């Protein structure tokens, strides 16, 4: 996605940086006329040769960033950065640049054709097969990035690449893959999606809108918005966590609003709500939650 006030030429390339000199495997130049608007530029690159990825020791190549986040190295540890991470050096590189003129480069990504994806989704077929081979039945997508306001579900509606949100987990930027991508992947694989969204703070009505956006039909305001965005089928989910490792003092009000909206859609009793604090729920909020009559569809996520 690019933006320019005047005409410019954008180039995308696949190169093999392990060769000397660097070998160009495929290239495509694209013209943009300007006008100041963000413009989506689709492209197709077909490399004329393959490249190789190899595991390397951390710190052995200064051009490859392999940070150790938690300082838990231990050769005999059951789980540590040593066993949980791998440094990989790949010869192939995706290059985006401005060949002539000037332009702002926004979100960009590279994926295989449908031959290498899960249907028409931006999901690697090999990764999807691995999940199935492992027998995975549920996936929760959450973490400290879900505590960022950029991970609030309405920031991902509609999925406009020019305004794609970015959230940070430790030193890594997570962008281009949000809650609705998770739901689509899980729905396609028959896996239970456990959605986590920014919710501390969030208005209860905003969370009720999430129920309507994902499950409402075209006769509803938010359901129509989903249909108009090119997703006529519902985003099917049952479990949602309202925040991540935080005490959500608005949790009960949010659940109440979501339950009321679900009832209006004919989906009473369908959804399960996870409280996001490792410390559990205080007595006051426990009493308020019990009064909702939701029963065992309320749970605390402790991790």
């Amino acid at each position: 996605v690019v933006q320019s006030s005047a005409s410019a030429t954008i180039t995308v390339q696949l190169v093999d940086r392990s060769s000397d000199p660097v070998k160009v495997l495929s290239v495509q130049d694209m013209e943009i006329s300007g006008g100041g608007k963000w413009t989506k530029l689709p492209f197709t690159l077909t490399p004329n040769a393959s490249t190789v990825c190899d595991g390397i020791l951390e710190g052995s190549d200064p051009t490859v960033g392999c940070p150790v986040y938690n300082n838990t190295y231990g050769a005999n540890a059951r789980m540590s950065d040593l066993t949980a991470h791998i440094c990989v050096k790949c010869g192939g590189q995706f290059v985006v640049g401005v060949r002539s003129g000037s332009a702002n480069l926004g979100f960009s990504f590279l994926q295989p054709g449908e031959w290498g994806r899960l249907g028409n989704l931006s999901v690697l077929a090999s990764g999807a097969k691995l999940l199935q081979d492992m027998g995975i039945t549920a996936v929760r997508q959450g973490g400290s990035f879900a505590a960022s306001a950029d991970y609030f579900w309405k920031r991902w509606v509609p999925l406009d690449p020019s305004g794609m949100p970015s959230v940070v987990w430790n030193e890594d930027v997570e962008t281009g893959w949000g809650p609705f991508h998770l739901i689509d992947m899980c729905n396609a694989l028959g896996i239970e999606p456990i959605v986590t969204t920014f919710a501390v703070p969030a208005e209860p009505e905003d969370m009720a809108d999430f129920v309507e956006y994902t499950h409402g039909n075209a006769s509803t305001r938010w359901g129509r918005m989903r249909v108009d965005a090119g997703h006529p089928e519902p985003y099917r989910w049952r479990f949602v966590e309202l925040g991540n490792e935080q005490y959500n003092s608005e949790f009960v009000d949010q659940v109440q609003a979501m339950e009321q909206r679900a009832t209006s859609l004919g989906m009473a009793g369908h959804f399960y709500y996870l409280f996001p604090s490792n410390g559990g729920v205080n007595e006051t909020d426990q009493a308020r939650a019990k009064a909702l009559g939701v029963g065992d569809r309320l749970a605390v996520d402790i991790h």
Side-chain angles (χ1 to χ4, degrees):
V1 179
V2 299
Q3 179 193 50
S4 178
S5 58
S7 60
T9 302
I10 310 300
T11 185
V12 290
Q13 301 179 9
L14 294 176
V15 303
D16 183 354
R17 64 173 183 170
S18 65
S19 64
D20 187 15
V22 172
K23 180 181 178 181
V24 177
L25 306 179
S26 184
V27 61
Q28 181 176 336
D29 290 344
M30 298 167 288
E31 303 296 327
I32 181 173
S33 59
K37 293 184 178 181
W38 285 100
T39 303
K40 184 177 181 180
L41 298 179
F43 58 88
T44 300
L45 295 173
T46 303
N48 56 27
S50 299
T51 60
V52 176
C53 291
D54 290 315
I56 62 172
L57 292 176
E58 192 273 331
S60 63
D61 188 332
T63 68
V64 179
C66 295
V68 180
Y69 296 123
N70 302 318
N71 297 315
T72 58
Y73 269 108
N76 300 315
R78 180 173 177 271
M79 180 60 73
S80 72
D81 282 327
L82 185 62
T83 57
H85 294 81
I86 184 172
C87 292
V88 178
K89 181 177 181 178
C90 292
Q93 189 173 46
F94 174 46
V95 179
V96 183
V98 180
R99 190 177 292 280
S100 65
S102 62
N104 296 315
L105 302 179
F107 180 76
S108 62
F109 76 105
L110 183 69
Q111 64 181 6
E114 289 193 15
W115 56 266
R117 307 204 314 269
L118 178 64
N120 64 349
L121 301 178
S122 294
V123 177
L124 283 174
S126 58
K129 183 179 184 301
L130 180 60
L131 291 175
Q132 292 178 317
D133 290 346
M134 292 172 64
I136 299 299
T137 59
V139 174
R140 171 187 177 263
Q141 182 166 295
S144 54
F145 60 84
S148 165
D150 271 337
Y151 205 70
F152 179 47
W153 74 270
K154 284 188 175 179
R155 287 282 284 115
W156 297 81
V157 176
L159 286 174
D160 179 4
S162 66
M164 191 70 74
S166 296
V167 293
V168 176
W169 182 80
N170 208 311
E171 296 177 13
D172 292 331
V173 176
E174 313 284 342
T175 188
W177 178 273
F180 301 111
H181 300 91
L182 168 76
I183 298 172
D184 268 341
M185 181 191 73
C186 289
N187 287 174
L189 295 174
I191 291 174
E192 189 82 63
I194 303 173
V195 185
T196 304
T197 184
F198 174 84
V200 185
E203 293 295 328
E205 192 70 11
D206 284 328
M207 304 316 302
D209 291 342
F210 177 68
V211 174
E212 185 176 302
Y213 181 78
T214 53
H215 287 87
N217 59 34
S219 69
T220 65
R221 176 193 173 194
W222 285 94
R224 165 55 64 184
M225 190 177 297
R226 184 196 73 246
V227 172
D228 289 346
H231 203 286
E233 295 299 317
Y235 288 104
R236 297 184 300 276
W237 61 271
R238 293 191 303 157
F239 295 85
V240 63
E241 185 164 355
L242 303 175
N244 181 81
E245 295 187 14
Q246 305 159 284
Y247 196 92
N248 184 354
S249 60
E250 299 170 284
F251 179 82
V252 176
D253 294 330
Q254 291 168 353
V255 170
Q256 183 178 36
M258 295 174 81
E259 281 287 283
Q260 291 173 346
R261 191 69 61 88
T263 299
S264 73
L265 298 175
M267 302 187 72
H270 182 77
F271 299 109
Y272 293 75
Y273 308 93
L274 305 182
F275 189 80
S277 173
N278 288 334
V281 188
N282 66 38
E283 292 184 2
T284 299
D285 284 338
Q286 285 184 38
R288 294 180 63 225
K290 185 176 181 179
L292 292 178
V294 178
D296 63 3
R297 291 187 294 112
L298 293 180
V300 177
D301 178 18
I302 298 177
H303 62 280

